[in-house]
């Protein structure tokens, strides 16, 4: 195993003087500092100030680096300049602290010693990787960077993308040669929104680079802000591949329990009870069924599948798992319809309140939420839908879901409550109060399994869950 270690209290950028030494031992290879300074001398530019780039910018600024935060979105930059956290994961104070400049002026990239690109990498309508943002960012960076700059890509990509897409775009725009005039590395983001225990400093940073010298340099840079340490890889492609398979593994395992939950529902078995029993085995892997949304798990398998197919491989298991997880919104809608029928409700006269529109608990991001597909399916039966989410912006919910939005929570006049995203705020709900507010013989469809079936039954609710 290879690890990078060093003084995380006082570390300056010394890449120009090369004042670092590799030392070998029986444990592996370690990177020791030969000098210490009290301030960071490098300027770092973060390109893309979303849920990945902004914490990076703040993390480096809080570690005494001068940071330039660059984004093409005027609204985002204006809010950051006003000291407003645009992600919901940081604080306004964190945005305001440290030596960090937020800008839409690309000419500031010229001032940077390191440029870290953290832009979106979605899939298109045909489930093919879209690296347009990476190529565009590389073109901008290449047109502004000075010789000697090190560029690190953090966006999720398929193995080979850094060499095939990023480097050519940088070279074309700059007229410089990678490895001679500028240097390139790759370090996959491992951001987990709304997880205070796994922030930038808490998760091991994987790093790959075009040669050993650049690898040493980039690893040292990241180790100065990541307390958990840095894991260098033998190649850029290894670092690229490790990112996508982390989420593929989760997708496949969630697909298994989702498929089980659909089968157990037909068998009349409680999935939660089955999993609780199975969990008593010491080596049982604990996954829960649910809707699989977000920017990573539903996307990364397609990145890897694209590259695997190019290599002549058939990634059948991961694509089948994707299909299973993509079928869950319809399954949740069908559970809701069954619950309404059990309550003797006429579907076209029914009203359902959806609790939680974001893609995961305690975040406000609705952009990749699978709840929209549940709502679309229910609408096919003319069911009236309203929504409430304490974290998401109400106007954004209206625009994205085209539903009525409650600004304060009320169950009056509804026939069923569909709990899709288990925000912490919903844990305080009293089921007796919910049942009393609903029309006669109301239902609770508990996608997240936040409540006990017996408690729902005692409250007089028809209960369904995955």
């Amino acid at each position: 195993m290879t690890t990078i270690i060093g003084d995380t209290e006082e570390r300056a950028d010394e890449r120009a003087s090369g004042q670092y030494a590799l030392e070998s031992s029986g444990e592996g290879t370690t990177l020791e500092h030969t000098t210490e300074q009290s301030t960071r001398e490098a300027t770092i530019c973060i390109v893309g100030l979303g849920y990945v780039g902004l914490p990076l910018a703040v993390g480096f600024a809080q570690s005494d680096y001068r940071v330039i935060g660059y984004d093409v979105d005027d609204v985002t930059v204006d809010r950051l300049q006003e000291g407003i956290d645009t992600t919901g994961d940081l604080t306004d104070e964190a945005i305001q602290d440290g030596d960090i400049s937020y800008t839409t002026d690309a000419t500031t990239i010229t001032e940077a010693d390191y440029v870290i690109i953290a832009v979106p990498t979605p899939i298109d309508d045909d489930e093919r990787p879209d690296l347009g943002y990476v190529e565009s960012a590389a073109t901008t960076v290449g047109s502004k960077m000075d010789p000697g700059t090190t560029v690190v890509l953090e966006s999720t990509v398929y193995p080979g993308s850094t060499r095939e897409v990023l480097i050519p775009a940088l070279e074309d725009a700059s007229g410089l040669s990678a490895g001679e005039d500028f240097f390139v590395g790759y370090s996959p983001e491992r951001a987990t929104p709304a997880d205070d225990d796994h922030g930038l400093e808490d998760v091991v940073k994987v790093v790959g680079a075009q040669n050993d010298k650049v690898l040493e340099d980039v690893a040292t840079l990241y180790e100065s802000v990541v307390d958990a340490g840095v894991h260098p890889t033998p190649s850029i492609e290894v670092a690229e591949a490790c990112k996508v398979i982390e989420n593929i593994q989760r997708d496949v395992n969630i697909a298994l329990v989702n498929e089980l939950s659909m089968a157990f529902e037909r068998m009349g078995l409680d999935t939660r009870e089955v999993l609780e029993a199975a969990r008593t085995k010491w080596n049982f892997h604990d996954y829960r069924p649910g809707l699989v949304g977000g920017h990573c798990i539903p996307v990364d398998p397609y990145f890897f599948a694209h590259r695997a197919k190019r290599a002549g491989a058939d990634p059948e298991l991961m694509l089948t798992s994707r299909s299973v997880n993509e079928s869950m919104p319809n399954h949740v809608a069908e559970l809701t319809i069954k619950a309404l029928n059990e309550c003797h409700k006429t579907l076209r006269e029914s009203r359902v309140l959806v609790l939680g529109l974001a893609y995961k608990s305690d975040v406000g991001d609705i952009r990749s939420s699978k709840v929209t597909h549940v709502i679309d399916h229910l609408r096919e039966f003319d069911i009236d839908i309203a929504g409430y989410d304490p974290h998401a912006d109400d106007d954004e919910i209206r625009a994205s879901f085209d539903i009525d939005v409650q600004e304060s929570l009320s169950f009056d006049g509804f026939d069923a409550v569909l709990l899709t995203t288990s925000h912490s705020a919903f844990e305080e709900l009293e089921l007796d109060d919910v049942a009393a507010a609903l029309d006669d013989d109301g239902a609770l469809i508990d996608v997240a399994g936040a409540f006990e079936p017996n408690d729902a039954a005692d409250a007089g609710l028809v209960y369904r869950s995955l």
Side-chain angles (χ1 to χ4, degrees):
M1 178 179 179
T2 305
T3 56
I4 300 295
I5 64 173
D7 180 6
T8 58
E9 297 297 323
E10 295 185 341
R11 176 101 31 76
D13 171 55
E14 297 163 343
R15 66 189 181 120
S17 59
Q19 292 176 324
Y20 292 93
L22 281 171
E23 296 184 358
S24 298
S25 69
E27 298 292 323
T29 302
T30 60
L31 184 61
E32 299 279 6
H33 299 284
T34 58
T35 64
E36 294 181 0
Q37 292 177 249
S38 60
T39 59
R40 310 316 204 248
E41 295 175 355
T43 295
I44 301 169
C45 178
I46 309 297
V47 176
L49 299 175
Y51 77 98
V52 175
L54 187 59
L56 269 175
V58 170
F60 278 110
Q62 290 178 341
S63 297
D64 296 328
Y65 288 97
R66 176 176 176 248
V67 177
I68 299 165
Y70 170 78
D71 200 288
V72 296
D73 190 296
D74 291 327
V75 174
T76 295
V77 171
D78 286 346
R79 294 184 69 193
L80 291 171
Q81 288 175 342
E82 293 169 4
I84 300 171
D85 173 21
T86 54
T87 66
D89 275 340
L90 303 166
T91 63
D92 291 348
E93 291 76 14
I95 301 303
Q96 299 160 16
D97 289 345
D99 186 5
I100 180 168
S101 302
Y102 302 103
T103 183
T104 57
D105 182 4
T107 62
T108 57
I109 294 171
T110 303
E111 304 169 28
D113 301 292
Y114 297 91
V115 178
I116 299 176
I117 297 175
V119 295
T121 47
I123 53 174
D124 64 20
D125 293 339
D126 295 318
E127 298 170 345
R128 295 175 302 191
D130 179 1
L131 299 184
Y133 292 107
V134 171
E135 189 167 12
S136 177
T139 298
T140 299
V141 171
S143 68
K144 305 300 180 185
M145 69 180 184
D146 282 343
T149 302
T150 298
V151 181
V152 182
L153 179 62
E154 285 225 3
S155 305
T156 299
V157 293
Y158 56 80
S161 300
T162 302
R163 297 188 197 275
E164 296 172 7
V165 178
L166 180 76
I167 289 177
L170 289 169
E171 290 181 329
D172 288 346
S174 66
L176 304 174
S177 297
E180 297 179 6
D181 305 313
F182 68 93
F183 312 99
V184 175
Y186 180 81
S187 182
E189 58 90 359
R190 285 175 158 178
T192 308
D195 187 343
D196 294 336
D197 295 327
H198 297 94
L200 172 64
E201 68 276 9
D202 305 310
V203 180
V204 173
K205 204 78 172 78
V206 171
V207 175
Q210 60 190 144
N211 60 50
D212 290 342
K213 191 172 183 179
V214 180
L215 178 63
E216 177 184 334
D217 179 45
V218 174
T220 300
L221 177 71
Y222 277 113
E223 202 274 332
S224 67
V225 295
V226 179
D227 295 338
V230 173
H231 179 86
T233 59
S235 69
I236 288 175
E237 287 76 16
V238 169
E240 291 169 326
C242 95
K243 165 60 181 178
V244 288
I245 71 162
E246 291 170 9
N247 286 317
I248 290 170
Q249 182 188 60
R250 294 180 63 197
D251 198 40
V252 170
N253 280 282
I254 295 170
L256 173 61
V257 293
N258 274 340
E259 191 167 64
L260 289 171
S261 72
M262 288 187 277
F264 289 145
E265 197 268 332
R266 291 180 176 273
M267 297 177 192
L269 292 174
D270 187 313
T271 303
R272 181 162 29 184
E273 292 176 349
V274 175
L275 294 177
E276 182 180 355
R279 230 173 267 131
T280 61
K281 179 73 182 300
W282 63 270
N283 60 351
F284 183 79
H285 292 189
D286 190 11
Y287 285 85
R288 312 293 175 91
L291 299 172
V292 184
H295 309 284
C296 293
I297 298 179
V299 174
D300 292 2
Y302 295 119
F303 273 77
F304 188 82
H306 170 80
R307 184 65 181 87
K309 288 178 179 178
R310 276 177 46 188
D314 182 13
E316 184 176 357
L317 176 60
M318 67 181 69
L319 292 178
T320 299
S321 298
R322 273 283 72 234
S323 178
V324 171
N325 287 337
E326 287 295 304
S327 73
M328 287 305 289
N330 280 358
H331 178 63
V332 169
E334 289 166 6
L335 288 180
T336 304
I337 291 167
K338 289 179 180 179
L340 289 169
N341 283 332
E342 190 173 341
C343 294
H344 307 290
K345 305 291 183 179
T346 302
L347 294 182
R348 67 180 55 188
E349 297 175 1
S350 297
R351 299 189 69 219
V352 174
L353 176 62
V354 179
L355 295 186
L357 288 304
Y359 81 91
K360 67 175 288 188
S361 301
D362 297 330
V363 303
D365 194 342
I366 63 174
R367 291 172 297 170
S368 297
S369 173
K370 295 299 180 182
V371 180
T372 183
H373 300 305
V374 178
I375 292 172
D376 288 344
H377 191 74
L378 292 174
R379 277 208 182 100
E380 294 178 9
F381 296 87
D382 295 326
I383 296 172
D384 186 25
I385 308 291
Y388 173 77
D389 193 302
H391 294 280
D393 181 84
D394 291 342
D395 290 335
E396 291 182 6
I397 293 174
R398 292 186 185 96
S400 296
F401 293 87
D402 191 24
I403 59 174
D404 292 332
V405 180
Q406 290 189 349
E407 296 185 2
S408 59
L409 184 57
S410 172
F411 301 101
D412 293 336
F414 289 96
D415 299 290
V417 174
L418 173 55
L419 177 56
T420 47
T421 308
S422 185
H423 295 310
S424 298
F426 299 146
E427 295 175 1
E428 306 302 320
L429 291 177
E430 294 291 341
L431 295 187
D432 287 335
D433 295 338
V434 174
L438 294 177
D439 282 351
D440 293 339
D441 299 320
L444 171 62
I445 300 87
D446 184 9
V447 175
F451 296 97
E452 294 295 330
N454 290 339
D455 293 340
D458 291 343
L461 293 166
V462 169
Y463 181 84
R464 295 275 180 157
S465 186
L466 296 181

